[in-house]
Amino acid sequence: MTVVAEAAAMRALEDLDDAELGAQLLRGVPTNELRSDEELLRHAARATAFGAELAGSTAGSTPSGSTAGPTPAIVEHDGGLDAALLAQYDSRHHRIDLFTDTIAFCERLVDELGWRHLFPVGSVRAAAVEHERAHHLVTADRSRGLRAALDHQVFRLGGFRRLAYIAGTDEVAAHAFAARSLGLTRSPLLLTRAATAAIRTRNDARSASNPKEN
């Protein structure tokens, strides 16, 4: 694919709504291979709604009664671009690791794709922090809430129901959480999809020009 064609494919992602992008994310997660497109779209829509509602209920702070504890510390690093890492939550050390080179790459990509109206300057870093904060909240005490929101029943006996977790829905919810927290009109999942493709192309080109490093 040429550079022009790849850029056009990235821009075309804007035509998909957030739930559709979420369904595509779920399709690529192991254990979801046999699920129908309709089912994945339903799970993605519910996870998106859950993430947005969670952001509204926390409003930038940990709600009372939560076991999530204080907001994780933020530590910045370089060297994330080669590994395609933007941010990650380290539960052991209760911190969010941000990779500044990847953030800068994504900010440039926003300008190149003409998406600055969707993602204002500084929103990449802010969205990464909120995304990982959402993972922290769900891991700490909201996993049951996510299962309830998905309402995917796998067993029932009388009045007892067992609900299952759908792999990847926490990621969809975290993107929606970030969008709602920052007042973005689109989920950062849109940018994540484009950035993933752009970073892969960048890294493949570097590997091809430096075969001895492979």
Side-chain angles (χ1 to χ4, degrees):
M1 183 181 292
T2 66
V3 173
V4 173
E6 184 177 46
M10 291 180 194
R11 292 189 183 95
L13 292 171
E14 191 178 350
D15 294 333
L16 301 176
D17 64 30
D18 292 342
E20 290 173 318
L21 288 170
Q24 290 185 359
L25 182 154
L26 297 181
R27 171 62 67 200
V29 176
T31 73
N32 289 337
E33 298 91 344
L34 299 181
R35 302 188 192 280
S36 69
D37 291 341
E38 181 182 3
E39 180 185 356
L40 291 179
L41 185 60
R42 182 174 68 253
H43 292 319
R46 290 176 176 176
T48 297
F50 172 82
E53 184 176 329
L54 179 60
S57 67
T58 58
S61 61
T62 303
S64 60
S66 171
T67 61
T71 300
I74 298 174
V75 181
E76 295 188 341
H77 309 269
D78 197 3
L81 198 52
D82 289 343
L85 283 175
L86 177 66
Q88 60 185 8
Y89 172 59
D90 184 339
S91 60
R92 180 179 178 184
H93 298 99
H94 190 55
R95 76 184 187 205
I96 295 172
D97 293 311
L98 296 180
F99 296 91
T100 55
D101 55 338
T102 312
I103 291 172
F105 180 92
C106 290
E107 288 283 4
R108 291 193 297 273
L109 184 63
V110 168
D111 286 328
E112 291 170 6
L113 295 177
W115 285 353
R116 189 54 75 188
H117 62 295
L118 299 175
F119 304 104
V121 173
S123 62
V124 174
R125 183 186 189 282
V129 170
E130 290 302 294
H131 181 103
E132 298 307 324
R133 191 166 76 89
H135 279 304
H136 162 59
L137 290 172
V138 171
T139 299
D141 61 2
R142 298 304 182 93
S143 59
R144 182 176 297 180
L146 177 56
R147 287 197 300 272
L150 296 174
D151 196 31
H152 182 63
Q153 180 177 296
V154 292
F155 178 78
R156 180 165 190 162
L157 180 62
F160 175 79
R161 300 171 69 229
R162 180 175 293 278
L163 302 177
Y165 167 73
I166 304 299
T169 51
D170 60 325
E171 192 70 14
V172 176
H175 280 297
F177 179 97
R180 173 68 180 276
S181 295
L182 300 175
L184 301 177
T185 58
R186 291 301 308 267
S187 167
L189 179 54
L190 171 62
L191 178 56
T192 298
R193 281 287 305 275
T196 298
I199 291 172
R200 183 185 305 116
T201 297
R202 176 255 189 198
N203 290 348
D204 287 348
R206 286 170 59 89
S207 295
S209 62
N210 297 287
K212 292 182 179 180
E213 294 182 3
N214 296 333

